[in-house]
Amino acid sequence: MANNVNAAQRLDATFAALADPTRRAILARLSLGEASVSELARPFAISQPAISKHLKVLEEAGLISRGREAQKRPCRLVGKPLADISEWLEAYRRHWEGNFQRLDALLDELKAQEPQAGAERPEGGSL
Amino acid sequence: MANNVNAAQRLDATFAALADPTRRAILARLSLGEASVSELARPFAISQPAISKHLKVLEEAGLISRGREAQKRPCRLVGKPLADISEWLEAYRRHWEGNFQRLDALLDELKAQEPQAGAERPEGGSL
DNA sequence: CAGTATAATAACCATATGGTTATATAACCG
DNA sequence: CGGTTATATAACCATATGGTTATTATACTG
């Protein structure tokens, strides 16, 4: 599996694409079904070329695909990169689900007690 | 709930923070437990200030918190922003889980047949 | 107090990003 | 063919990003 490198680059592109509210809004719109560029542009106060650039970013991240229908170039959401992110997130789930943070702090505390019992604790005393 | 705006900004910051492989590697390391800045820096071929910048980005996105222990400033993973992303992702789950994409394409096809049966189909013929 | 270790900040640089306006393509319509 | 609609590209601009080296701040240590 030497495409681990590529996997990282795809994550880069996907996260970067998602780091913009306009692009996330476009995806939200596309989650309701395919739409043309001008339909996608309508809700926004920015120029059409700006939308085209956003779509290019989304397309290069693999988050949308484009068809062709007369002059229109209908865009469609592609879920795969989101699935990849979801999978990446799983490794961290325990950090927000359940008491992991508390547990982590507890381990720290124990480690801190090793040298001196009753030592001062600047952080994380709130368990 | 007028903090919808802020929620979007937090998503911006989180996604942007995650769009860098060095920062994701730092998070991966922190998922094993807290670590000092120099410990975090060790695996990378970049300067210490560069690491400090990355940590600042992560901290501003709320992805890490920092304590203090002598000269060291131990960093610890904070899962909350990842939970927020996970929640945001849920809206799109059906797009990669199950046949949604196929279904979408099918609807398109039906729509395309409307004008002319047997018309050429430039995209998405591979179902 | 002087020295050392850990980390942050400043100043700088190159490239990326998000926007603009103007222009070019592409495909339909009469 | 000429016009119109839909979209992309070019050229430009301001700001953000990720890196560097040099310097500063903080806290332990002898």
Side-chain angles (χ1 to χ4, degrees):
Chain A
M1 250 178 225
N3 68 356
N4 226 4
V5 173
N6 280 321
Q9 289 172 334
R10 277 198 306 271
L11 278 183
D12 285 4
T14 305
F15 279 125
L18 295 177
D20 183 284
T22 300
R23 289 194 290 260
R24 288 198 306 278
I26 288 173
L27 291 183
R29 166 62 188 80
L30 289 178
S31 81
L32 306 176
E34 111 181 358
S36 70
V37 175
S38 35
E39 282 169 345
L40 291 173
R42 200 158 0 254
F44 301 102
I46 62 181
S47 65
Q48 170 263 313
I51 296 289
S52 276
K53 280 193 185 183
H54 283 304
L55 292 177
K56 192 172 189 182
V57 171
L58 289 170
E59 186 174 32
E60 280 169 357
L63 282 160
I64 67 172
S65 68
R66 284 142 130 171
R68 177 161 298 204
E69 189 180 319
Q71 310 101 312
K72 301 190 182 174
R73 228 128 308 176
C75 299
R76 169 184 306 164
L77 180 64
V78 176
K80 178 61 166 49
L82 299 177
D84 294 340
I85 284 187
S86 181
E87 193 183 329
W88 179 87
L89 270 180
E90 280 314 305
Y92 298 90
R93 178 171 292 279
R94 55 172 185 161
H95 275 276
W96 71 81
E97 235 167 44
N99 39 39
F100 189 86
Q101 210 124 188
R102 259 48 78 76
L103 208 153
D104 198 46
L106 189 62
L107 288 177
D108 277 357
E109 229 154 319
L110 292 174
K111 208 159 64 177
Q113 281 179 11
E114 204 176 282
Q116 247 295 324
E120 251 204 293
R121 291 205 40 76
E123 297 283 306
S126 65
L127 92 101
Chain B
M1 246 176 232
N3 69 354
N4 226 4
V5 174
N6 279 321
Q9 289 173 333
R10 276 197 308 271
L11 277 183
D12 285 3
T14 305
F15 278 126
L18 295 178
D20 182 285
T22 300
R23 290 194 290 261
R24 288 199 306 277
I26 288 174
L27 291 183
R29 166 63 187 80
L30 289 178
S31 81
L32 306 176
E34 114 180 357
S36 70
V37 176
S38 35
E39 282 169 344
L40 291 173
R42 200 159 359 253
F44 300 102
I46 61 180
S47 66
Q48 170 263 314
I51 296 290
S52 277
K53 280 194 185 181
H54 283 305
L55 293 177
K56 191 172 191 182
V57 171
L58 289 169
E59 186 176 31
E60 280 168 357
L63 282 160
I64 67 172
S65 69
R66 283 141 131 170
R68 177 161 299 205
E69 189 182 317
Q71 309 101 310
K72 300 189 181 174
R73 229 130 307 176
C75 298
R76 171 183 306 165
L77 180 64
V78 176
K80 177 62 165 50
L82 298 177
D84 294 341
I85 283 187
S86 180
E87 193 183 329
W88 178 88
L89 270 179
E90 280 313 306
Y92 298 90
R93 178 171 291 279
R94 55 171 186 160
H95 275 277
W96 72 80
E97 234 167 45
N99 35 39
F100 190 86
Q101 210 125 187
R102 257 49 77 77
L103 209 151
D104 199 45
L106 190 61
L107 289 178
D108 278 354
E109 230 155 318
L110 292 175
K111 209 159 62 178
Q113 280 179 9
E114 202 176 282
Q116 244 296 325
E120 253 206 294
R121 292 202 43 73
E123 300 280 308
S126 64
L127 94 98

